[in-house]
Structures are given as C-alpha cells and as structure tokens.
Amino acid sequence: MTRHTDLHLVRNVGVMAHVDAGKTTVSERIPFLTGVNHRIGEVHDGAATLDWTRQERERGITITAAATTCTWAGHLLTLVDTPGHVDFTAEVERTLRVLDGLWGDGPGDVAEQDVPACLRDAAAQARTELIEQLVDLDEELGEGFLSGAAIDRSAARSAIRRLTLSGRAVPVLLGPRCATRGSSRCSTRSSPFLPSPVDARVVVGTRPDGDAVACPSDPDAPACALAFKQATLPGGQSMTYVRVYAGTLRPGDRVVISRTGRTERLGRMLLVHAGATRDVGVHGPGELGPGGIGAVIGLRDVRDRRHARRSGRAGAVGGHGVPRPRARDRRRTRGMGEPHLEVMLGQLVDDHGVRVTSGAPRWPTARRSRSP
C-alpha cells in the first residue's frame, strides 16, 4: 500500500463469526488462490498458515487476529482472520476498528453445483423479487425503473454496492466453505460491493492538545495512523501493528505519540503474512499509504490502541478500549476467562521464555473465637 496505489481498489476485510463456523477454513484458501501460499493449510491437521502460533495449532482454534495481503480480482485485499471464541472477543473488537468491511460466515453449508433445470423458474422468480426490493430501496435504480430503463446485472450490482455502503443492505452469498471454488466465488463477488478507504467515512482524530482533526484518505495529507496491536517477534523484539488513515509513513519518519506527546522515530516497517514478515520496500516503495495495514519496529512509547502522527503535522485517531490480562502484585492475574488465562501463561513461555506455576487464588483468612 503506497501513495501510488489506487485507493478505490483497496479492500481491508475481516472474517467474523461464532466459534467453529469455518472462518479460518475460508480464509486459508484466499492466500492459496492468489499465489501467496503454495498449499492449503487445513485447521484439522494443525497446518493452517493463519493459525500460526503454537497454541493455536495445538488447540485448533484462532487466538490472535492474523492478517495477509494479496491481489484478488483487480483489488488489493488485506484479509484478517479473527477469533470466534468468546474469551478472545477483545482481539476481534480492536481488529474491527481498522477494517472497512466484513465477511460474516454463517452456519450450515451448501453443495457445490449449478442450478438444476427444475429450479430455474424458481431462480428467475427469486431474481425478480430481488430487483423489486432493490428498486424500493435504491433511489437511483428506482428512477431508472420508472423511466422504463432495463435493469441489467451491472445496474443491479451498482445498486447493491450503494446500499451496502450506506448500511441499508447486507449481501448474502452462498457457497461451500470447504471447497476452494466457494471461497473464490465469495471473494470475487463480494469485493465490488465492499467499501474502499475512500468510501468509508472520514475518520476524525484528536491532536495531543485535544483539538479534533479530520483524517482523509489522501496520501499527501498530514500523516495519521492508529496503533492497534502489539506482538513479539522471535528473539523478543516488539512490533506494533498500525493502520494508516491519512498521509504516508516511511521508515525513519519522526512521529508524535498522541497519548504522551513524545516524539519517536520509526524503525523498520513490515508487511505481515500471519506469523511471517517482510520489509515494505522489498517489492516496491518502502512506505505505507492510506488504508495500509502493517507493522513498525522501534516504537517504545506505544501501547495497544494508541496513535501516532507525523511529527508537527496531523492529529491522532480515537481508539477502542481493550481489556488485557493484567498482573497484580506480581502474583495475581485476571482475564476474560480460563482459556484467556491459559493462553497468557503459554505466551510467557513462548515469547519470553518465562516459566510460571499457576493455580487457583488462595486468600489469607483470620479466625476469631468468641466466648460462650
């Protein structure tokens, strides 16, 4: 994502549904179809690329939101696979903050086949009913219909996109989640309907002095980005995930952290594919423009959901509160639930090499007897 990218063709999309709905199964096929991966990693085999941590593969669930960027049907697609377990809802919430569109994976499945001859009349009737609903909801299509203009596929799709962007309609696509062809159809047919950074509402941020500032999707505007997640690289180095809303960020830029007002210099900037990373300048300009989602090395004064702005220039985007496991008195911890606490303890071992002994809280008590 650079200053020269056509923002109208950018899609930042998340996959969200309840636990075991098949989110990762669908998501795994997109990197394969676009050539990012050379094989499909199956969740039940513990080989999913997007479930890349040891605990995710052992437990067979998604714990951390994993991103990948690829080119699909002429669009630059950043796809984020999110957890479905209720204990990791916070991970979903902070990820939603930086996305422009969503795929919701519903229950059930369908067989992969064409419409049989015996159902073609019913399919034609269903399409007629769809057009009638679109005419009622979309003013532009309704005016064309009343003037006698033919409503072809292009006009219908344009109406669906307008209604989707306005939040008045949600497209529903059917397809087998376990079949590669189903994921291909879903991606191809949904991308034209979903918003680009230009279509999404202009984000309003806050300067360190408290003044509000608009953050338009313009590569030449004052730069503004949201730091929404932190992770640890092998070796213990910390990286911060960022979403750029306005302007352009490059390695070496000086940025102001809105929480503290302190100035820091950006280190390496990375594009992320699940647990793998590469520098933004490996296959193109070394920068992140509007709509870009990547990671930055070297920010020391940033916490989850905090904000960075180009030094002396733009404001900062408002964040989203995220509960985190917290240590108290160096002994007591709390989280969203038992799995959350177990994962946290596992991360201490995997990321920091710290082994701990855990157990139920034990509270000191005092007993006092009374004379009869």
Side-chain angles (χ1 to χ4, degrees):
M1 204 83 62
T2 71
R3 60 185 297 106
H4 304 294
T5 302
D6 184 352
L7 295 180
H8 293 88
L9 298 178
V10 173
R11 299 290 185 271
N12 291 322
V13 180
V15 183
M16 184 178 69
H18 60 82
V19 64
D20 292 333
K23 300 178 296 298
T24 303
T25 299
V26 171
S27 301
E28 277 291 319
R29 282 151 174 77
I30 304 303
F32 171 74
L33 290 168
T34 57
V36 176
N37 287 348
H38 299 294
R39 63 178 180 83
I40 297 175
E42 298 292 359
V43 176
H44 55 266
D45 294 331
T49 303
L50 296 172
D51 284 347
W52 61 276
T53 69
R54 176 187 63 82
Q55 295 195 80
E56 286 177 316
R57 294 188 173 184
E58 289 180 355
R59 295 170 180 268
I61 62 173
T62 300
I63 296 172
T64 63
T68 185
T69 300
C70 54
T71 301
W72 181 265
H75 295 85
L76 185 61
L77 173 66
T78 296
L79 185 69
V80 182
D81 180 34
T82 66
H85 199 288
V86 66
D87 277 38
F88 309 108
T89 300
E91 183 79 0
V92 181
E93 291 176 346
R94 61 179 162 191
T95 302
L96 290 176
R97 182 65 182 82
V98 301
L99 299 174
D100 300 318
L102 282 175
W103 290 346
D105 191 13
D109 214 333
V110 296
E112 184 176 8
Q113 61 183 20
D114 295 329
V115 178
C118 61
L119 295 179
R120 288 177 184 171
D121 290 342
Q125 178 61 30
R127 185 183 187 281
T128 299
E129 294 174 359
L130 171 64
I131 296 300
E132 291 175 351
Q133 293 182 33
L134 292 177
V135 167
D136 290 338
L137 292 172
D138 185 73
E139 182 177 354
E140 182 175 332
L141 192 70
E143 291 177 352
F145 177 79
L146 293 176
S147 65
I151 299 179
D152 56 14
R153 177 177 297 183
S154 177
R157 289 183 172 181
S158 296
I160 293 174
R161 185 168 198 272
R162 288 191 295 269
L163 293 171
T164 303
L165 297 184
S166 67
R168 300 180 63 198
V170 177
V172 177
L173 305 173
L174 302 180
R177 71 168 64 93
C178 292
T180 302
R181 189 177 179 185
S183 297
S184 173
R185 287 177 174 176
C186 178
S187 303
T188 302
R189 296 178 181 179
S190 66
S191 293
F193 299 144
L194 294 173
S196 71
V198 177
D199 300 313
R201 63 181 177 84
V202 174
V203 173
V204 177
T206 306
R207 297 181 186 274
D209 59 10
D211 291 341
V213 58
C215 303
S217 297
D218 181 354
D220 297 317
C224 182
L226 172 69
F228 66 96
K229 178 180 176 178
Q230 288 184 300
T232 303
L233 291 171
Q237 194 173 25
S238 177
M239 70 176 181
T240 304
Y241 286 78
V242 297
R243 155 72 191 259
V244 180
Y245 284 97
T248 305
L249 293 180
R250 303 177 183 85
D253 282 350
R254 299 187 68 84
V255 298
V256 175
I257 310 303
S258 66
R259 179 176 61 88
T260 62
R262 294 180 57 180
T263 300
E264 295 193 32
R265 185 181 296 276
L266 298 180
R268 293 171 58 201
M269 298 182 64
L270 308 172
L271 295 179
V272 181
H273 172 55
T277 62
R278 63 178 173 85
D279 288 85
V280 294
V282 171
H283 299 296
E287 61 186 25
L288 279 178
I293 296 177
V296 177
I297 303 295
L299 291 179
R300 298 184 298 275
D301 199 34
V302 170
R303 299 178 184 174
D304 290 355
R305 72 192 182 275
R306 299 304 180 185
H307 334 294
R309 65 182 180 89
R310 194 80 161 270
S311 181
R313 300 184 68 186
V317 178
H320 182 84
V322 179
R324 303 180 63 194
R326 293 185 292 179
R328 291 184 172 184
D329 300 333
R330 300 182 181 179
R331 287 176 291 180
R332 297 194 299 271
T333 61
R334 69 178 186 179
M336 295 289 290
E338 193 67 27
H340 194 200
L341 294 174
E342 292 174 358
V343 167
M344 181 193 68
L345 296 177
Q347 288 175 333
L348 288 175
V349 177
D350 295 343
D351 298 342
H352 306 286
V354 177
R355 295 189 177 275
V356 297
T357 301
S358 63
R362 299 171 61 184
W363 305 98
T365 60
R367 294 183 179 180
R368 184 174 57 185
S369 61
R370 294 188 303 173
S371 300

